[in-house]
PDB file of all heavy atoms in Angstrom:
ATOM      1  N   ARG V  13       6.931  15.402   5.038  1.00  0.00           N
ATOM      2  CA  ARG V  13       7.923  14.318   5.253  1.00  0.00           C
ATOM      3  C   ARG V  13       9.275  14.878   5.562  1.00  0.00           C
ATOM      4  O   ARG V  13       9.712  15.859   4.913  1.00  0.00           O
ATOM      5  CB  ARG V  13       7.956  13.418   4.037  1.00  0.00           C
ATOM      6  CG  ARG V  13       6.677  12.722   3.767  1.00  0.00           C
ATOM      7  CD  ARG V  13       6.832  11.252   3.858  1.00  0.00           C
ATOM      8  NE  ARG V  13       5.549  10.570   3.540  1.00  0.00           N
ATOM      9  CZ  ARG V  13       5.029   9.681   4.304  1.00  0.00           C
ATOM     10  NH1 ARG V  13       5.665   9.322   5.403  1.00  0.00           N
ATOM     11  NH2 ARG V  13       3.921   9.109   3.989  1.00  0.00           N
ATOM     12  N   GLY V  14      10.006  14.224   6.427  1.00  0.00           N
ATOM     13  CA  GLY V  14      11.380  14.556   6.729  1.00  0.00           C
ATOM     14  C   GLY V  14      12.280  13.960   5.649  1.00  0.00           C
ATOM     15  O   GLY V  14      11.844  13.189   4.781  1.00  0.00           O
ATOM     16  N   THR V  15      13.558  14.271   5.677  1.00  0.00           N
ATOM     17  CA  THR V  15      14.493  13.721   4.746  1.00  0.00           C
ATOM     18  C   THR V  15      15.448  12.776   5.440  1.00  0.00           C
ATOM     19  O   THR V  15      15.930  13.085   6.529  1.00  0.00           O
ATOM     20  CB  THR V  15      15.280  14.820   4.028  1.00  0.00           C
ATOM     21  OG1 THR V  15      15.946  15.579   5.017  1.00  0.00           O
ATOM     22  CG2 THR V  15      14.374  15.728   3.232  1.00  0.00           C
ATOM     23  N   ALA V  16      15.700  11.638   4.851  1.00  0.00           N
ATOM     24  CA  ALA V  16      16.687  10.650   5.312  1.00  0.00           C
ATOM     25  C   ALA V  16      16.547  10.355   6.795  1.00  0.00           C
ATOM     26  O   ALA V  16      17.470  10.477   7.553  1.00  0.00           O
ATOM     27  CB  ALA V  16      18.096  11.157   5.000  1.00  0.00           C
ATOM     28  N   GLY V  17      15.301  10.018   7.215  1.00  0.00           N
ATOM     29  CA  GLY V  17      15.103   9.597   8.577  1.00  0.00           C
ATOM     30  C   GLY V  17      14.847  10.726   9.562  1.00  0.00           C
ATOM     31  O   GLY V  17      14.700  10.526  10.763  1.00  0.00           O
ATOM     32  N   ALA V  18      14.865  11.966   9.056  1.00  0.00           N
ATOM     33  CA  ALA V  18      14.602  13.122   9.959  1.00  0.00           C
ATOM     34  C   ALA V  18      13.113  13.101  10.357  1.00  0.00           C
ATOM     35  O   ALA V  18      12.304  12.434   9.774  1.00  0.00           O
ATOM     36  CB  ALA V  18      14.919  14.404   9.238  1.00  0.00           C
ATOM     37  N   ALA V  19      12.806  13.906  11.378  1.00  0.00           N
ATOM     38  CA  ALA V  19      11.457  13.999  11.872  1.00  0.00           C
ATOM     39  C   ALA V  19      10.543  14.597  10.777  1.00  0.00           C
ATOM     40  O   ALA V  19      10.948  15.379   9.939  1.00  0.00           O
ATOM     41  CB  ALA V  19      11.399  14.881  13.121  1.00  0.00           C
ATOM     42  N   GLU V  20       9.296  14.158  10.845  1.00  0.00           N
ATOM     43  CA  GLU V  20       8.248  14.698   9.977  1.00  0.00           C
ATOM     44  C   GLU V  20       7.384  15.635  10.809  1.00  0.00           C
ATOM     45  O   GLU V  20       7.528  15.661  12.029  1.00  0.00           O
ATOM     46  CB  GLU V  20       7.359  13.570   9.420  1.00  0.00           C
ATOM     47  CG  GLU V  20       8.018  12.810   8.320  1.00  0.00           C
ATOM     48  CD  GLU V  20       8.192  11.353   8.557  1.00  0.00           C
ATOM     49  OE1 GLU V  20       7.663  10.861   9.543  1.00  0.00           O
ATOM     50  OE2 GLU V  20       8.896  10.738   7.788  1.00  0.00           O
ATOM     51  N   SER V  21       6.611  16.426  10.121  1.00  0.00           N
ATOM     52  CA  SER V  21       5.724  17.295  10.853  1.00  0.00           C
ATOM     53  C   SER V  21       4.283  17.081  10.418  1.00  0.00           C
ATOM     54  O   SER V  21       4.042  16.849   9.237  1.00  0.00           O
ATOM     55  CB  SER V  21       6.124  18.776  10.708  1.00  0.00           C
ATOM     56  OG  SER V  21       5.949  19.175   9.369  1.00  0.00           O
ATOM     57  N   LEU V  22       3.374  17.124  11.355  1.00  0.00           N
ATOM     58  CA  LEU V  22       1.961  17.134  11.086  1.00  0.00           C
ATOM     59  C   LEU V  22       1.468  18.541  11.493  1.00  0.00           C
ATOM     60  O   LEU V  22       1.798  19.011  12.584  1.00  0.00           O
ATOM     61  CB  LEU V  22       1.238  16.091  11.885  1.00  0.00           C
ATOM     62  CG  LEU V  22       1.440  14.637  11.501  1.00  0.00           C
ATOM     63  CD1 LEU V  22       0.676  13.719  12.481  1.00  0.00           C
ATOM     64  CD2 LEU V  22       0.971  14.397  10.118  1.00  0.00           C
ATOM     65  N   THR V  23       0.692  19.167  10.627  1.00  0.00           N
ATOM     66  CA  THR V  23       0.077  20.434  10.924  1.00  0.00           C
ATOM     67  C   THR V  23      -1.442  20.228  10.941  1.00  0.00           C
ATOM     68  O   THR V  23      -2.034  19.843   9.958  1.00  0.00           O
ATOM     69  CB  THR V  23       0.498  21.506   9.929  1.00  0.00           C
ATOM     70  OG1 THR V  23       1.888  21.603   9.844  1.00  0.00           O
ATOM     71  CG2 THR V  23      -0.133  22.851  10.315  1.00  0.00           C
ATOM     72  N   PHE V  24      -2.024  20.463  12.140  1.00  0.00           N
ATOM     73  CA  PHE V  24      -3.432  20.429  12.267  1.00  0.00           C
ATOM     74  C   PHE V  24      -3.979  21.842  12.069  1.00  0.00           C
ATOM     75  O   PHE V  24      -3.464  22.760  12.763  1.00  0.00           O
ATOM     76  CB  PHE V  24      -3.871  19.903  13.647  1.00  0.00           C
ATOM     77  CG  PHE V  24      -3.557  18.460  13.876  1.00  0.00           C
ATOM     78  CD1 PHE V  24      -2.316  18.053  14.368  1.00  0.00           C
ATOM     79  CD2 PHE V  24      -4.503  17.517  13.611  1.00  0.00           C
ATOM     80  CE1 PHE V  24      -2.034  16.721  14.586  1.00  0.00           C
ATOM     81  CE2 PHE V  24      -4.223  16.157  13.847  1.00  0.00           C
ATOM     82  CZ  PHE V  24      -2.992  15.787  14.323  1.00  0.00           C
ATOM     83  N   VAL V  25      -4.947  22.021  11.200  1.00  0.00           N
ATOM     84  CA  VAL V  25      -5.506  23.363  10.949  1.00  0.00           C
ATOM     85  C   VAL V  25      -7.010  23.310  11.231  1.00  0.00           C
ATOM     86  O   VAL V  25      -7.711  22.521  10.623  1.00  0.00           O
ATOM     87  CB  VAL V  25      -5.237  23.818   9.481  1.00  0.00           C
ATOM     88  CG1 VAL V  25      -5.874  25.178   9.226  1.00  0.00           C
ATOM     89  CG2 VAL V  25      -3.778  23.827   9.163  1.00  0.00           C
ATOM     90  N   ASP V  26      -7.449  24.177  12.168  1.00  0.00           N
ATOM     91  CA  ASP V  26      -8.871  24.304  12.410  1.00  0.00           C
ATOM     92  C   ASP V  26      -9.449  25.112  11.283  1.00  0.00           C
ATOM     93  O   ASP V  26      -9.102  26.290  11.098  1.00  0.00           O
ATOM     94  CB  ASP V  26      -9.052  25.023  13.757  1.00  0.00           C
ATOM     95  CG  ASP V  26     -10.524  25.107  14.146  1.00  0.00           C
ATOM     96  OD1 ASP V  26     -11.423  25.333  13.287  1.00  0.00           O
ATOM     97  OD2 ASP V  26     -10.804  24.953  15.352  1.00  0.00           O
ATOM     98  N   VAL V  27     -10.345  24.500  10.458  1.00  0.00           N
ATOM     99  CA  VAL V  27     -10.827  25.158   9.275  1.00  0.00           C
ATOM    100  C   VAL V  27     -11.834  26.257   9.586  1.00  0.00           C
ATOM    101  O   VAL V  27     -12.135  27.082   8.723  1.00  0.00           O
ATOM    102  CB  VAL V  27     -11.446  24.171   8.254  1.00  0.00           C
ATOM    103  CG1 VAL V  27     -10.400  23.200   7.770  1.00  0.00           C
ATOM    104  CG2 VAL V  27     -12.666  23.452   8.801  1.00  0.00           C
ATOM    105  N   ILE V  28     -12.323  26.316  10.833  1.00  0.00           N
ATOM    106  CA  ILE V  28     -13.234  27.393  11.213  1.00  0.00           C
ATOM    107  C   ILE V  28     -12.482  28.632  11.705  1.00  0.00           C
ATOM    108  O   ILE V  28     -12.750  29.740  11.270  1.00  0.00           O
ATOM    109  CB  ILE V  28     -14.218  26.908  12.326  1.00  0.00           C
ATOM    110  CG1 ILE V  28     -15.005  25.669  11.880  1.00  0.00           C
ATOM    111  CG2 ILE V  28     -15.171  28.025  12.772  1.00  0.00           C
ATOM    112  CD1 ILE V  28     -15.838  25.820  10.655  1.00  0.00           C
ATOM    113  N   THR V  29     -11.502  28.401  12.589  1.00  0.00           N
ATOM    114  CA  THR V  29     -10.775  29.555  13.221  1.00  0.00           C
ATOM    115  C   THR V  29      -9.442  29.835  12.527  1.00  0.00           C
ATOM    116  O   THR V  29      -8.873  30.885  12.730  1.00  0.00           O
ATOM    117  CB  THR V  29     -10.534  29.247  14.696  1.00  0.00           C
ATOM    118  OG1 THR V  29      -9.564  28.162  14.798  1.00  0.00           O
ATOM    119  CG2 THR V  29     -11.806  28.926  15.457  1.00  0.00           C
ATOM    120  N   GLY V  30      -8.908  28.840  11.813  1.00  0.00           N
ATOM    121  CA  GLY V  30      -7.574  29.014  11.243  1.00  0.00           C
ATOM    122  C   GLY V  30      -6.440  28.686  12.175  1.00  0.00           C
ATOM    123  O   GLY V  30      -5.266  28.733  11.837  1.00  0.00           O
ATOM    124  N   ASP V  31      -6.751  28.343  13.455  1.00  0.00           N
ATOM    125  CA  ASP V  31      -5.728  27.968  14.402  1.00  0.00           C
ATOM    126  C   ASP V  31      -4.928  26.772  13.887  1.00  0.00           C
ATOM    127  O   ASP V  31      -5.525  25.845  13.265  1.00  0.00           O
ATOM    128  CB  ASP V  31      -6.329  27.584  15.766  1.00  0.00           C
ATOM    129  CG  ASP V  31      -6.906  28.774  16.505  1.00  0.00           C
ATOM    130  OD1 ASP V  31      -6.561  29.949  16.140  1.00  0.00           O
ATOM    131  OD2 ASP V  31      -7.737  28.592  17.444  1.00  0.00           O
ATOM    132  N   GLN V  32      -3.631  26.791  14.142  1.00  0.00           N
ATOM    133  CA  GLN V  32      -2.766  25.731  13.725  1.00  0.00           C
ATOM    134  C   GLN V  32      -1.961  25.098  14.853  1.00  0.00           C
ATOM    135  O   GLN V  32      -1.571  25.824  15.747  1.00  0.00           O
ATOM    136  CB  GLN V  32      -1.788  26.182  12.643  1.00  0.00           C
ATOM    137  CG  GLN V  32      -2.427  26.660  11.376  1.00  0.00           C
ATOM    138  CD  GLN V  32      -1.384  27.082  10.328  1.00  0.00           C
ATOM    139  OE1 GLN V  32      -0.254  26.715  10.378  1.00  0.00           O
ATOM    140  NE2 GLN V  32      -1.857  27.839   9.347  1.00  0.00           N
ATOM    141  N   THR V  33      -1.755  23.831  14.785  1.00  0.00           N
ATOM    142  CA  THR V  33      -0.904  23.122  15.782  1.00  0.00           C
ATOM    143  C   THR V  33       0.142  22.333  14.951  1.00  0.00           C
ATOM    144  O   THR V  33      -0.257  21.510  14.144  1.00  0.00           O
ATOM    145  CB  THR V  33      -1.703  22.163  16.682  1.00  0.00           C
ATOM    146  OG1 THR V  33      -2.777  22.909  17.299  1.00  0.00           O
ATOM    147  CG2 THR V  33      -0.819  21.533  17.704  1.00  0.00           C
ATOM    148  N   LEU V  34       1.369  22.560  15.209  1.00  0.00           N
ATOM    149  CA  LEU V  34       2.505  21.881  14.496  1.00  0.00           C
ATOM    150  C   LEU V  34       3.070  20.846  15.501  1.00  0.00           C
ATOM    151  O   LEU V  34       3.404  21.163  16.595  1.00  0.00           O
ATOM    152  CB  LEU V  34       3.553  22.906  14.058  1.00  0.00           C
ATOM    153  CG  LEU V  34       4.777  22.333  13.359  1.00  0.00           C
ATOM    154  CD1 LEU V  34       4.381  21.704  12.033  1.00  0.00           C
ATOM    155  CD2 LEU V  34       5.772  23.480  13.146  1.00  0.00           C
ATOM    156  N   VAL V  35       3.178  19.617  15.000  1.00  0.00           N
ATOM    157  CA  VAL V  35       3.745  18.529  15.818  1.00  0.00           C
ATOM    158  C   VAL V  35       4.869  17.863  15.003  1.00  0.00           C
ATOM    159  O   VAL V  35       4.655  17.474  13.871  1.00  0.00           O
ATOM    160  CB  VAL V  35       2.637  17.456  16.160  1.00  0.00           C
ATOM    161  CG1 VAL V  35       3.210  16.416  17.065  1.00  0.00           C
ATOM    162  CG2 VAL V  35       1.439  18.151  16.784  1.00  0.00           C
ATOM    163  N   PHE V  36       6.033  17.669  15.655  1.00  0.00           N
ATOM    164  CA  PHE V  36       7.134  16.931  15.013  1.00  0.00           C
ATOM    165  C   PHE V  36       7.201  15.528  15.546  1.00  0.00           C
ATOM    166  O   PHE V  36       7.154  15.356  16.798  1.00  0.00           O
ATOM    167  CB  PHE V  36       8.482  17.689  15.302  1.00  0.00           C
ATOM    168  CG  PHE V  36       8.598  18.985  14.575  1.00  0.00           C
ATOM    169  CD1 PHE V  36       8.268  20.172  15.250  1.00  0.00           C
ATOM    170  CD2 PHE V  36       8.963  19.024  13.252  1.00  0.00           C
ATOM    171  CE1 PHE V  36       8.384  21.401  14.609  1.00  0.00           C
ATOM    172  CE2 PHE V  36       9.048  20.263  12.598  1.00  0.00           C
ATOM    173  CZ  PHE V  36       8.727  21.449  13.295  1.00  0.00           C
ATOM    174  N   ILE V  37       7.248  14.570  14.638  1.00  0.00           N
ATOM    175  CA  ILE V  37       7.255  13.142  15.049  1.00  0.00           C
ATOM    176  C   ILE V  37       8.161  12.370  14.148  1.00  0.00           C
ATOM    177  O   ILE V  37       8.497  12.820  13.026  1.00  0.00           O
ATOM    178  CB  ILE V  37       5.812  12.546  15.045  1.00  0.00           C
ATOM    179  CG1 ILE V  37       5.132  12.792  13.727  1.00  0.00           C
ATOM    180  CG2 ILE V  37       5.009  13.051  16.188  1.00  0.00           C
ATOM    181  CD1 ILE V  37       3.734  12.268  13.622  1.00  0.00           C
ATOM    182  N   THR V  38       8.569  11.183  14.570  1.00  0.00           N
ATOM    183  CA  THR V  38       9.342  10.275  13.710  1.00  0.00           C
ATOM    184  C   THR V  38       8.466   9.090  13.408  1.00  0.00           C
ATOM    185  O   THR V  38       8.542   8.079  14.130  1.00  0.00           O
ATOM    186  CB  THR V  38      10.649   9.838  14.364  1.00  0.00           C
ATOM    187  OG1 THR V  38      10.345   9.337  15.654  1.00  0.00           O
ATOM    188  CG2 THR V  38      11.617  10.980  14.456  1.00  0.00           C
ATOM    189  N   GLY V  39       7.623   9.225  12.397  1.00  0.00           N
ATOM    190  CA  GLY V  39       6.610   8.174  12.188  1.00  0.00           C
ATOM    191  C   GLY V  39       6.550   7.638  10.782  1.00  0.00           C
ATOM    192  O   GLY V  39       7.302   8.042   9.896  1.00  0.00           O
ATOM    193  N   GLU V  40       5.640   6.701  10.632  1.00  0.00           N
ATOM    194  CA  GLU V  40       5.342   6.054   9.344  1.00  0.00           C
ATOM    195  C   GLU V  40       3.942   5.458   9.447  1.00  0.00           C
ATOM    196  O   GLU V  40       3.416   5.278  10.526  1.00  0.00           O
ATOM    197  CB  GLU V  40       6.367   5.022   8.955  1.00  0.00           C
ATOM    198  CG  GLU V  40       6.528   3.932   9.966  1.00  0.00           C
ATOM    199  CD  GLU V  40       7.693   2.994   9.741  1.00  0.00           C
ATOM    200  OE1 GLU V  40       8.496   3.239   8.851  1.00  0.00           O
ATOM    201  OE2 GLU V  40       7.774   2.004  10.469  1.00  0.00           O
ATOM    202  N   ARG V  41       3.358   5.213   8.281  1.00  0.00           N
ATOM    203  CA  ARG V  41       2.026   4.605   8.169  1.00  0.00           C
ATOM    204  C   ARG V  41       0.916   5.462   8.883  1.00  0.00           C
ATOM    205  O   ARG V  41       0.219   4.997   9.751  1.00  0.00           O
ATOM    206  CB  ARG V  41       2.035   3.159   8.690  1.00  0.00           C
ATOM    207  CG  ARG V  41       2.943   2.237   7.811  1.00  0.00           C
ATOM    208  CD  ARG V  41       2.779   0.825   8.124  1.00  0.00           C
ATOM    209  NE  ARG V  41       3.224   0.358   9.382  1.00  0.00           N
ATOM    210  CZ  ARG V  41       4.467   0.160   9.729  1.00  0.00           C
ATOM    211  NH1 ARG V  41       5.454   0.438   8.899  1.00  0.00           N
ATOM    212  NH2 ARG V  41       4.796  -0.313  10.946  1.00  0.00           N
ATOM    213  N   TYR V  42       0.834   6.690   8.491  1.00  0.00           N
ATOM    214  CA  TYR V  42      -0.158   7.626   9.090  1.00  0.00           C
ATOM    215  C   TYR V  42      -1.558   7.248   8.650  1.00  0.00           C
ATOM    216  O   TYR V  42      -1.832   7.037   7.476  1.00  0.00           O
ATOM    217  CB  TYR V  42       0.184   9.039   8.701  1.00  0.00           C
ATOM    218  CG  TYR V  42       1.543   9.474   9.101  1.00  0.00           C
ATOM    219  CD1 TYR V  42       2.646   9.401   8.253  1.00  0.00           C
ATOM    220  CD2 TYR V  42       1.775   9.931  10.402  1.00  0.00           C
ATOM    221  CE1 TYR V  42       3.908   9.801   8.659  1.00  0.00           C
ATOM    222  CE2 TYR V  42       3.042  10.322  10.807  1.00  0.00           C
ATOM    223  CZ  TYR V  42       4.093  10.269   9.933  1.00  0.00           C
ATOM    224  OH  TYR V  42       5.354  10.605  10.357  1.00  0.00           O
ATOM    225  N   THR V  43      -2.475   7.245   9.620  1.00  0.00           N
ATOM    226  CA  THR V  43      -3.864   6.867   9.391  1.00  0.00           C
ATOM    227  C   THR V  43      -4.777   7.746  10.229  1.00  0.00           C
ATOM    228  O   THR V  43      -4.539   7.840  11.453  1.00  0.00           O
ATOM    229  CB  THR V  43      -4.129   5.381   9.732  1.00  0.00           C
ATOM    230  OG1 THR V  43      -3.166   4.582   9.029  1.00  0.00           O
ATOM    231  CG2 THR V  43      -5.504   4.956   9.353  1.00  0.00           C
ATOM    232  N   LEU V  44      -5.803   8.323   9.633  1.00  0.00           N
ATOM    233  CA  LEU V  44      -6.801   9.075  10.416  1.00  0.00           C
ATOM    234  C   LEU V  44      -7.687   8.063  11.149  1.00  0.00           C
ATOM    235  O   LEU V  44      -8.277   7.182  10.518  1.00  0.00           O
ATOM    236  CB  LEU V  44      -7.641   9.958   9.515  1.00  0.00           C
ATOM    237  CG  LEU V  44      -6.898  11.107   8.847  1.00  0.00           C
ATOM    238  CD1 LEU V  44      -7.794  11.811   7.817  1.00  0.00           C
ATOM    239  CD2 LEU V  44      -6.409  12.082   9.901  1.00  0.00           C
ATOM    240  N   VAL V  45      -7.793   8.217  12.462  1.00  0.00           N
ATOM    241  CA  VAL V  45      -8.642   7.365  13.266  1.00  0.00           C
ATOM    242  C   VAL V  45      -9.389   8.254  14.230  1.00  0.00           C
ATOM    243  O   VAL V  45      -8.835   8.804  15.151  1.00  0.00           O
ATOM    244  CB  VAL V  45      -7.769   6.347  14.076  1.00  0.00           C
ATOM    245  CG1 VAL V  45      -8.718   5.472  14.964  1.00  0.00           C
ATOM    246  CG2 VAL V  45      -6.927   5.484  13.169  1.00  0.00           C
ATOM    247  N   GLY V  46     -10.680   8.387  13.941  1.00  0.00           N
ATOM    248  CA  GLY V  46     -11.503   9.267  14.808  1.00  0.00           C
ATOM    249  C   GLY V  46     -10.970  10.710  14.772  1.00  0.00           C
ATOM    250  O   GLY V  46     -10.781  11.278  13.712  1.00  0.00           O
ATOM    251  N   ASN V  47     -10.642  11.260  15.925  1.00  0.00           N
ATOM    252  CA  ASN V  47     -10.133  12.634  15.998  1.00  0.00           C
ATOM    253  C   ASN V  47      -8.626  12.695  16.158  1.00  0.00           C
ATOM    254  O   ASN V  47      -8.072  13.637  16.664  1.00  0.00           O
ATOM    255  CB  ASN V  47     -10.803  13.395  17.171  1.00  0.00           C
ATOM    256  CG  ASN V  47     -10.417  12.857  18.528  1.00  0.00           C
ATOM    257  OD1 ASN V  47     -10.032  11.724  18.665  1.00  0.00           O
ATOM    258  ND2 ASN V  47     -10.523  13.664  19.520  1.00  0.00           N
ATOM    259  N   ALA V  48      -7.939  11.634  15.741  1.00  0.00           N
ATOM    260  CA  ALA V  48      -6.473  11.544  15.863  1.00  0.00           C
ATOM    261  C   ALA V  48      -5.849  10.988  14.586  1.00  0.00           C
ATOM    262  O   ALA V  48      -6.493  10.493  13.700  1.00  0.00           O
ATOM    263  CB  ALA V  48      -6.135  10.637  17.058  1.00  0.00           C
TER     264      ALA V  48
END
Side-chain angles (χ1 to χ4, degrees):
R13 297 242 182 230
T15 58
E20 282 121 11
S21 65
L22 289 177
T23 305
F24 291 89
V25 179
D26 184 321
V27 299
I28 305 299
T29 67
D31 291 343
Q32 296 184 18
T33 304
L34 179 64
V35 183
F36 291 97
I37 52 181
T38 51
E40 58 190 6
R41 295 192 293 284
Y42 299 98
T43 306
L44 293 173
V45 179
N47 67 337

